[in-house]
Amino acid sequence: MKSRGLYGRKFLDIQERITELAPIDEDHVLVKIHACGVCGTDVNFVRDWEEDYMPLGHEIAGEVIEVGKNVRSVKPGDKVIVEDCTMCGICVDCKSGHPELCRNMYDMQGQPGMGEYMSVRFNSLDRFEGLDYVSACLTEPLAVALTSVQLAEIPFGASVAILGNGPLGLMAARLARVRGASFVAITGLPKDNERERARFFAAEKIGCDLMIEVGKQSVEDELLSRFPKGIDRVIVSSPPESIYDALKVIRFGGIITFFGLHFGGKSTINVDINDLIFRKITLRPAFAEPAINFPVSMKLLREKVVDPELLITHTFSFGSALDVFRGIVEGSQPIVKAVMTPNA
Ligand SMILES: [Zn+2]
Ligand SMILES: [Zn+2]
């Protein structure tokens, strides 16, 4: 069986390829992809990635079409999320109740989520109901935001700053509030283009208390004028160099969680270890693989604890993929979250 999908590399070099899917053997399931979100990682690939083309898309919601003869967990017609990284369930860490430490994971075998079909192992699927496909594909990014918020251990009534107002930052802002924060600030690039205006508009709808335009305003001044002792928790969903701002505004004993990557050579920063020690600051990376937060993310979306409608601004298919990616990279379109519907 063949499937059409998208691959990309630096300078918006996006390729459409037809590939042969792995056979639907006894453990595999053929999934028809109905929705796949554009992640910041995909945008990083088409903006900065210099090596070979990367498959695009890992935020996937689809429909089961065919199952292998040993598969009992799903049946044709079921709505499913495809996990991008699945715990093995049999290693020492998984069996000890720590699947988050599993190093023996199942991945997507190089298949693009931005494609028509996938052949995946049955244990990489999460069944869902009560959500449309486009909303459901927020499961993966929401699980990432959720992981960062869980690791931030937000006390009731805390002040929280989210650095970065992309979809993940926006979801983290909402979850921080749900988790008991009494004040949530969010930062973003200046509202000089359509993309940034759309993101701040979404932040306002989500209920952020303060929005800071980085470059026009000083994150440090804006936050420390309100909280002279510093902010209780900082969640960094923007590139690694924003951790400098996080370190300036975090309170004594505070926790900074971070998951903003950079593939264009800007992933190294200088951190004064003495400062971390003397100020008792925790710098904690948040990496959401394997997919242990998917079931709770689906529930949060279904119950509208996080409202997909506040985030998803665009859907598109193959013909307009390049336009959408260009719009996101250049900021020329009011896109917060774009979702590909490859079979629409
Ligand atoms: Zn993602
Ligand atoms: Zn394992």
Side-chain angles (χ1 to χ4, degrees), residues 86-95 98-99 101-105:
T86 302
M87 70 184 85
C88 77
I90 55 170
C91 71
V92 170
D93 290 305
C94 280
K95 286 200 179 274
H98 286 285
L101 300 179
C102 180
R103 297 286 75 209
N104 192 24
M105 296 178 287

Side-chain angles (χ1 to χ4, degrees), residues 39 41 58-59 140-141:
C39 175
T41 310
H58 56 264
E59 305 175 353
E140 191 273 348

Side-chain angles (χ1 to χ4, degrees), residues 177-225:
R177 177 77 78 200
V178 171
R179 202 69 169 193
S182 61
F183 178 91
V184 180
I186 195 162
T187 71
L189 295 172
K191 283 183 265 183
D192 295 338
N193 66 42
E194 293 288 339
R195 179 192 64 205
E196 297 311 320
R197 278 192 284 277
R199 288 177 171 192
F200 274 113
F201 182 67
E204 205 178 313
K205 291 239 165 164
I206 278 171
C208 293
D209 301 295
L210 174 67
M211 292 177 275
I212 304 169
E213 293 177 76
V214 178
K216 279 190 183 168
Q217 294 169 293
S218 153
V219 175
E220 188 179 5
D221 293 350
E222 291 297 323
L223 290 173
L224 295 185
S225 62

